[in-house]
Amino acid sequence: HKVMAAPAGKLTDVIVLYFDGTTSHEWLKGKGVHTIPSMELGLLAYRFPDCIQWAQTAGRTGEMLPVNKGDNVVRIRYTDGSEVVTIAMDRKSWLLSGVEIKNVTDTAAVFTESYDHYTDIAGIPFPQEFKATFRGAPYYEFLLSVIDLEADMPDTLFRVTNEDTIGLRAVPSP
């Protein structure tokens, strides 16, 4: 699950991700359930934090792209089947700045995700801001103003309302 909190520490949203054996879903407090597009799940290996390990996989080599005057990032391009993945690293901190994923056959199917405002989480740099576009249009923007590992959350936070059950189906126990 992901927890987003306002700067004052007041919880503003809860997102629970789950897989039912065939499809991935997302439950949002007060908004119910919706299916996560397979496109988004298919790109997980190329996104934070998995893209760092993916790029270092044995036998994988990337092409460093020319650094243009005024660029704040270094870009490395990889080809992986029908996807061309460009990873951008900040030139000063060497932290991941963003990724761009282009489909070779559908050139309009471009997904970008940028990362900013890193904070230290148990010794690991973690971005607090995630912004994405798909096909040139804004797709989502997350600002994690508070990241609290092992947070104690009250059970009332997960109280199920009628709106929350939209899209759920009962599964009989075996």
Side-chain angles (χ1 to χ4, degrees), residues 4 23 29-30 44 49 77-78 94 110 115 134 149 166 170 172:
M4 297 174 62
T23 310
K29 186 170 175 59
L44 284 177
R77 181 172 48 208
Y78 300 86
W94 289 102
V110 177
Y115 316 101
F134 182 61
L149 301 178
I166 297 170

Side-chain angles (χ1 to χ4, degrees), residues 50-65:
D50 295 337
C51 65
I52 297 166
Q53 183 174 353
W54 173 85
Q56 297 174 6
T57 303
R60 191 175 310 283
T61 57
E63 168 194 1
M64 187 190 280
L65 301 178

Side-chain angles (χ1 to χ4, degrees), residues 43 46 54 63 65 76-87 99-107 109-112:
L43 302 177
Y46 309 126
W54 173 85
E63 168 194 1
L65 301 178
I76 303 169
R77 181 172 48 208
Y78 300 86
T79 301
D80 188 33
S82 64
E83 309 292 350
V84 175
V85 180
T86 303
I87 296 176
V99 296
E100 177 184 76
I101 306 155
K102 292 183 182 181
N103 186 284
V104 174
T105 55
D106 182 359
T107 56
V110 177
F111 178 88
T112 66

Side-chain angles (χ1 to χ4, degrees), residues 3 7 12 20-21 23-24 40-41 45 49 51 53 58 70 77 96 101 107 112-113 120 126 132-133 138 141 172:
V3 177
T12 59
D20 67 8
T23 310
S24 293
E40 188 174 337
L41 291 173
C51 65
Q53 183 174 353
R77 181 172 48 208
L96 184 64
I101 306 155
T107 56
T112 66
E113 189 172 56
D120 183 278
F126 195 91
T133 65
E141 181 174 348

Side-chain angles (χ1 to χ4, degrees), residues 131-172:
K131 290 182 184 178
T133 65
F134 182 61
R135 295 186 180 270
Y139 191 62
Y140 59 75
E141 181 174 348
F142 294 122
L143 176 60
L144 307 174
S145 57
V146 175
I147 301 170
D148 189 358
L149 301 178
E150 300 179 24
D152 187 26
M153 294 185 276
D155 290 341
T156 57
L157 180 66
F158 299 99
R159 184 181 67 237
V160 178
T161 66
N162 288 335
E163 293 83 13
D164 295 328
T165 62
I166 297 170
L168 291 178
R169 61 182 169 79
V171 177

